[in-house]
Amino acid sequence: MSDLTSKTRFEPAEAEPRIMERWLASGLFHVEPQGTAAENYSIAIPPPNVTGALHMGHALNGSVQDVLIRHHRMRDRRSEWILGTDHAGIATQKQVERRLLDRGTTREAIGREAFVEEVWKWRKEFGGQIIEQFKRLGASCDYDRERFTLDESYHRAVMKVFVDLYDEGLIYRDHYMVNWDPGSRSAISDLEVEDREVTDTLYSIAYPLADGSGEVVVATVRPETMLADTAVAVNPADERHAHLIGRTAILPLVGRELPIIADDYVKTDFGTGCLKITPGHDPNDFEIGRRHGLQEIGVIGEDGRMTQDAGAYAGMTVAAAQEAVVAALREQGLLRAEEPYTHTVPVSHRSGERIEPLISLQWFMNMDGLAPPAIEAVTSGRVRIHPESQARRYVDWLESIRPWCISRQLWWGHQLPVWYRGEETYVGLEEPGGEGWERDPDVLDTWFSSALWPFATLGWPDDTPELRAFYPTDVLSTARDILFLWVARMVMMGLRFAGDVPFSDVYVHSVIQAPDGRRMSKSLGTGIDPLDEIDRHGADAVRFGLLAMSSTQDVRYSPEKVEQGQALANKLFNATRFVLLNVDPDAPAGPRPTTVEDRWILSRLQRIIADTHRRLDEFDFAKAALGLYDFVYGELCDWYLELVKGRAFDADLSATLLHVLRETLALAHPFIPFVTEELWDSMPRAEGLLAGARAPVPEAALLDEAAEARIAAVIGAVTAVRSWRSVAGVPPGARLPARLSAAGYEDTAPLVARLARLQLEAGTAHEPAATIPVPGGAVELLASDVVDPEAEARKRDARRHELEAEVARAEGRLANAGFVAKAPADLVDAEREKLERLRAELAAL
RNA sequence: GGGCGGUUAGCUCAGCUGGUCAGAGCGCCUGCCUUACAAGCAGGAGGUCCCCGGUUCGAGCCCGGGACCGCCCACCA
């Protein structure tokens, strides 16, 4: 425990590790599986990649989830934050491959079994990193129940799902066009592909007609793929080319006869209006090919080199083949045009290499039957997505869902439970009996296993106490970019296999951009490491800052918000110092209000408690965090603590102060857990951890509107007098004789006098030297020596002009028949009152 | 090509179902070591709420058009 009497600053670097230790030792974060999911509160963490390091997105998402978990834990719900990591097939495999390369070997050289062993070793060595980093943030995950998507029991769940879906015919094997990632030497799904703009050369190539009557000219940026052309297509409505339909062209360099077909896909206003059709290497051509029953030829292999079907070009890299093909065409005089052409090309999200569309034999999952229930879950409100706009994206995507390519040509992951023997295929949980079976070497898309996360982590397919206690979970908090990759698939799988939606609320958080608005990324050098920020400002500050930044849209990282959080932590630290250095530690528990300011702060406290609860329920974290800041600064410290300074710290005041402070610490704890835990521990008769204490609950009996109005007037009056003094240049320490000619200060005049440094006098013996308007009347200054009559006259004039303008505006409004007739009556009345008030003040001048 | 979001103080952002809504934090200026906090306190200056029309008694707020910025989806070889 740090020494409250000597230190004036909260020191996160010293306190945080010590406090985290206490939390972990307490076992608070681990709960036993009892009761039902409806009674309990649970969140399944989006499992970070086991290779990962904490980035800003994790930090924001961790803050969001932790504020929710801690809040509900303090509201006496058995709260479980399910923790774990994802095996992240491609990312992890690449990392280990790089390591092997450093050692001068490759995965091919050591073989599959040894390679997988290497990955496990790697995981053992580095896999705990991100978990430790979550602890730095103060995340109250259940660290005793850490899961991994390749755990034995998790693997069983994945296998069962695969086999069940296969048995139903929803998982099948097919020759199909896939996004081939030459970087990872694997097929990847559409969602793992991103577009990048490049400038290529658009070549126009002449294909002679078979009957020698002419030629068709086609345009392409991939001339090497012409070796796999099996047709030429024109639009049936294109009169220029109508005569070609049904005739035959000869493929240069190869000599193959190409039928000229008609298809609506061909644009008449692009290029020459004639399109070479390469079903083997273009997704659109593939579709056209299937429509017309065209031959599918592959000239580019999975190794990125030309295949035997490429004839003379076999063995060349794609780039070399392109050069060679262009050279040959030029030589034969068939190149009609070359022009630079800027367009977007698909690139692998993981490896960064350009996608090579090609046909291969892959495993697919038919989504047609799974999507409708997942759509219904959202449209019916069983799953609520926040913000609403994301729900539309979700539904739109599911409504046009396509088969999902689930096989990956990797070694790290869940290997398919599929065996082949000749023409036979066996799919099952156990290896088939008999001789000669060979297992499919492919593994499943990582997202296939992630889709089972909320229930596979809880022991499914067994009927476990964990599953009964925590499934469905309550909230899934995540980034927008994996709404389809992950969230939608969890809903589909949860409904199909766990019998219910996996969560009732999805919170889609902001993407944090760099302060200059660019993407935060390592390669751009725009990344900000949350751990550096924690080192600098403390975890509380970073959590507060991120929550205060969060929004329904993307936001720029705001260092100021983090500093605001740090200021808040420090303010609470010093406010607690002040209270503890003054109060009677033996004061009774509970509030003992004896004055109007006591009733005021207790009333304001009830409001901030209710507001904070409501804002958390609405996932409005920014308002919740900033509202707390405003309460602590703008009400508790700036006013209440200043108001009580003139009083004796008796048992009643001590009790009230301690009560307000305790409640404030407890309310703020889910947002800034470290500093509040530290201060809680220093409170008189502190018992147990704040993390395990009860959240404050608003009490209607403590609301006091009269007290709120009285103190609002005090604040208004003090502020007005201070402003006058400051502008007039009165020495801050000087006590000015004054008369308070205003209503509503019966029991608060001494407070105004002290905070505004006034010597209040009664009677009307003296003429005021200056008049300061305050709520309910005016403060009349009687000390002529501090008043500059000319300045006062100028101010009066300025004020008079202001009032005249406002009176004119109010009169104008009230003279407007439309306003009086159509505006709500109370508004019109308020306007009339305002006019009267303004006229009275004007008259007083 | 289709869809979504944004444009408010020097900076980053709040502004709920149109009526004290023109705000906060930071920055800036002035003054204070006032017995919790100088990483503090008090006070102050700063805005044609992107532009043009419209609806309304009344418009950052609603409608139409435009400009600029960002994101998502689908993609013309």
Side-chain angles (χ1 to χ4, degrees):
Chain A
M1 173 68 228
S2 61
D3 183 0
L4 272 185
T5 56
S6 64
K7 285 186 184 161
T8 59
R9 294 205 305 258
F10 175 63
E11 289 170 11
E14 179 276 322
E16 287 174 358
R18 176 163 47 74
I19 295 168
M20 191 68 194
E21 274 310 303
R22 291 183 62 206
W23 286 333
L24 291 174
S26 75
L28 264 173
F29 300 165
H30 174 82
V31 295
E32 292 307 319
Q34 291 164 22
T36 66
E39 296 160 3
N40 301 334
Y41 188 85
S42 61
I43 295 178
I45 198 171
N49 286 359
V50 67
T51 58
L54 196 78
H55 60 235
M56 234 8 122
H58 293 128
L60 169 61
N61 202 197
S63 302
V64 164
Q65 293 169 84
D66 198 45
V67 82
L68 291 172
I69 279 281
R70 284 183 185 268
H71 177 67
H72 286 95
R73 184 182 293 124
M74 291 177 77
R75 297 188 77 177
D76 278 348
R77 290 184 70 185
R78 184 174 284 109
S79 298
E80 168 76 6
W81 188 359
I82 301 161
L83 176 69
T85 52
D86 193 292
H87 67 278
I90 296 175
T92 312
Q93 176 157 330
K94 290 229 101 181
Q95 201 123 350
V96 176
E97 280 177 2
R98 216 169 301 139
R99 194 192 204 194
L100 290 180
L101 213 57
D102 290 344
R103 281 200 237 139
T105 182
T106 64
R107 77 178 156 105
E108 288 82 2
I110 65 174
R112 180 167 189 150
E113 205 172 317
F115 178 78
V116 169
E117 217 169 282
E118 279 298 316
V119 184
W120 278 106
K121 265 198 261 174
W122 189 93
R123 187 240 171 190
K124 200 169 174 195
E125 203 171 334
F126 301 109
Q129 174 185 258
I130 190 144
I131 302 290
E132 289 309 306
Q133 292 173 334
F134 266 92
K135 289 181 185 168
R136 291 285 313 278
L137 194 64
S140 61
C141 314
D142 186 350
Y143 295 96
D144 298 340
R145 206 181 259 133
E146 185 187 328
R147 311 294 186 180
F148 184 48
T149 53
L150 272 181
D151 280 344
E152 187 53 44
S153 68
Y154 203 108
H155 181 67
R156 275 204 307 277
V158 173
M159 293 297 105
K160 177 174 167 50
V161 167
F162 185 97
V163 172
D164 284 3
L165 291 174
Y166 175 84
D167 289 344
E168 282 177 54
L170 294 178
I171 283 181
Y172 56 93
R173 201 177 189 213
D174 194 11
H175 279 284
Y176 212 78
M177 173 131 300
V178 297
N179 303 299
W180 185 261
D181 174 12
S184 61
R185 296 257 176 115
S186 174
I188 61 177
S189 81
D190 290 342
L191 293 171
E192 291 168 302
V193 174
E194 64 187 24
D195 290 330
R196 196 167 296 168
E197 194 168 89
V198 298
T199 299
D200 284 329
T201 303
L202 182 65
Y203 298 94
S204 295
I205 305 167
Y207 289 9
L209 292 173
D211 56 16
S213 65
E215 61 184 34
V216 290
V217 179
V218 298
T220 181
V221 292
R222 301 286 311 274
E224 70 280 14
T225 64
M226 70 180 283
L227 302 172
D229 283 4
T230 53
V232 170
V234 300
N235 191 296
D238 191 342
E239 289 165 11
R240 297 172 300 169
H241 305 305
H243 66 283
L244 294 173
I245 297 168
R247 296 170 71 179
T248 303
I250 299 297
L251 182 61
L253 311 184
V254 178
R256 185 162 44 242
E257 294 196 342
L258 306 178
I260 298 177
I261 59 173
D263 196 285
D264 286 336
Y265 171 80
V266 183
K267 302 282 179 292
T268 55
D269 57 355
F270 190 90
T272 60
C274 300
L275 179 62
K276 69 193 261 306
I277 302 297
T278 321
H281 294 293
D282 181 279
N284 295 309
D285 294 4
F286 178 79
E287 301 278 338
I288 294 168
R290 288 270 161 123
R291 274 203 289 278
H292 296 271
L294 299 176
Q295 193 187 352
E296 294 164 1
I297 298 175
V299 293
I300 301 171
E302 296 180 347
D303 56 359
R305 289 176 179 273
M306 306 307 284
T307 64
Q308 290 311 310
D309 286 336
Y313 305 90
M316 288 185 187
T317 64
V318 169
Q322 179 172 119
E323 237 173 87
V325 165
V326 169
L329 289 169
R330 187 175 286 128
E331 198 175 307
Q332 298 183 20
L334 294 170
L335 216 47
R336 288 286 174 272
E338 290 175 67
E339 49 189 312
Y341 182 65
T342 301
H343 63 147
T344 58
V345 298
V347 166
S348 166
H349 192 65
R350 294 283 183 205
S351 72
E353 292 202 24
R354 187 161 166 172
I355 293 301
E356 197 62 68
L358 46 84
I359 296 171
S360 71
L361 191 53
Q362 300 285 346
W363 285 89
F364 291 87
M365 184 165 161
N366 181 329
M367 312 302 288
D368 295 346
L370 293 165
I375 293 170
E376 192 275 342
V378 166
T379 53
S380 71
R382 282 170 74 199
V383 173
R384 295 175 294 270
I385 300 181
H386 317 267
E388 188 92 41
S389 57
Q390 299 304 319
R392 282 196 298 277
R393 282 183 63 221
Y394 168 98
V395 170
D396 288 349
W397 183 75
L398 280 173
E399 281 176 345
S400 54
I401 197 163
R402 303 175 63 163
W404 172 16
C405 174
I406 54 173
S407 46
R408 296 288 180 276
Q409 289 66 52
L410 305 173
W411 285 354
W412 176 243
H414 295 279
Q415 192 171 356
L416 270 50
V418 177
W419 287 261
Y420 308 107
R421 183 169 65 184
E423 293 298 300
E424 292 176 273
T425 298
Y426 173 85
V427 174
L429 294 174
E430 304 294 336
E431 193 170 348
E435 293 294 305
W437 288 101
E438 208 159 314
R439 187 165 184 179
D440 191 313
D442 288 358
V443 302
L444 285 163
D445 179 6
T446 302
W447 295 107
F448 186 95
S449 52
S450 311
L452 319 181
W453 182 250
F455 52 92
T457 48
L458 296 172
W460 187 91
D462 299 332
D463 179 21
T464 63
E466 283 84 0
L467 211 48
R468 286 195 297 272
F470 304 123
Y471 190 93
T473 66
D474 289 84
V475 175
L476 187 279
S477 176
T478 186
R480 205 179 37 213
D481 56 348
I482 53 176
L483 192 65
F484 308 148
L485 277 170
W486 190 46
V487 179
R489 287 165 177 172
M490 277 192 286
V491 176
M492 289 187 272
M493 294 301 217
L495 284 168
R496 169 63 184 76
F497 288 99
D500 202 345
V501 294
F503 28 69
S504 48
D505 291 273
V506 175
Y507 174 68
V508 181
H509 69 239
S510 303
V511 172
I512 310 248
Q513 301 166 333
D516 62 6
R518 289 189 294 171
R519 230 190 173 76
M520 259 201 203
S521 92
K522 251 188 204 144
S523 51
L524 284 175
T526 51
I528 295 176
D529 186 343
L531 297 173
D532 288 346
E533 290 291 275
I534 290 174
D535 287 341
R536 259 194 287 280
H537 304 287
D540 289 331
V542 171
R543 293 167 60 114
F544 178 93
L546 289 171
L547 291 171
M549 272 174 240
S550 68
S551 160
T552 55
Q553 61 184 76
D554 292 351
V555 293
R556 299 178 179 204
Y557 185 77
S558 161
E560 293 86 3
K561 286 282 190 296
V562 174
E563 281 161 24
Q564 199 178 346
Q566 189 175 7
L568 176 63
N570 212 47
K571 195 73 175 172
L572 276 175
F573 183 86
N574 280 296
T576 303
R577 277 186 76 211
F578 171 75
V579 170
L580 295 187
L581 293 175
N582 286 287
V583 295
D584 171 3
D586 298 321
R592 308 270 287 250
T594 59
T595 66
V596 62
E597 69 267 23
D598 292 344
R599 293 195 297 279
W600 170 76
I601 193 65
L602 288 168
S603 186
R604 298 304 299 162
L605 178 64
Q606 306 319 305
R607 296 198 193 277
I608 188 64
I609 293 169
D611 286 348
T612 304
H613 288 194
R614 182 174 43 75
R615 287 161 178 166
L616 286 178
D617 289 343
E618 291 168 355
F619 301 98
D620 192 349
F621 302 104
K623 249 190 228 136
L626 292 170
L628 265 171
Y629 176 94
D630 287 341
F631 173 75
V632 170
Y633 266 79
E635 310 202 269
L636 181 58
C637 293
D638 287 352
W639 294 102
Y640 186 63
L641 295 186
E642 294 303 323
L643 285 167
V644 301
K645 275 182 181 173
R647 291 164 62 184
F649 284 74
D650 58 16
D652 288 337
L653 177 55
S654 296
T656 302
L657 274 168
L658 287 170
H659 172 80
V660 171
L661 188 56
R662 277 201 181 93
E663 297 267 294
T664 303
L665 292 176
L667 186 65
H669 180 261
F671 299 82
I672 46 176
F674 289 105
V675 69
T676 49
E677 187 70 76
E678 177 85 341
L679 295 173
W680 182 262
D681 193 46
S682 64
M683 300 296 278
R685 297 197 301 269
E687 272 178 32
L689 290 163
L690 176 53
R694 303 186 82 149
V697 176
E699 290 177 50
L702 290 174
L703 284 176
D704 189 333
E705 292 197 13
E708 290 194 38
R710 297 238 151 178
I711 298 298
V714 169
I715 291 171
V718 170
T719 304
V721 174
R722 279 174 177 167
S723 176
W724 185 92
R725 293 175 60 121
S726 179
V727 170
V730 176
R735 289 177 74 82
L736 305 183
R739 193 161 51 217
L740 184 51
S741 325
Y745 296 86
E746 290 71 22
D747 43 6
T748 57
L751 298 175
V752 174
R754 193 164 52 73
L755 293 184
R757 301 230 175 211
L758 299 175
Q759 184 74 49
L760 287 183
E761 295 175 9
T764 53
H766 300 91
E767 273 299 303
T771 302
I772 306 168
V774 299
V779 164
E780 294 168 337
L781 289 182
L782 306 174
S784 54
D785 57 329
V786 299
V787 176
D788 173 357
E790 279 181 34
E792 280 312 298
R794 273 200 305 277
K795 266 190 274 186
R796 261 200 307 279
D797 279 348
R799 181 65 186 154
R800 186 176 300 120
H801 282 118
E802 218 175 279
L803 283 169
E804 281 164 359
E806 279 191 59
V807 165
R809 198 159 46 219
E811 284 173 343
R813 274 185 112 178
L814 289 167
N816 182 334
F819 175 71
V820 179
K822 294 184 181 174
D826 54 332
L827 206 82
V828 177
D829 289 344
E831 196 67 22
R832 289 213 174 92
E833 274 173 44
K834 183 177 160 193
L835 180 58
E836 257 174 69
R837 201 171 63 240
L838 293 169
R839 278 179 176 153
E841 196 189 330
L842 194 57
L845 277 177

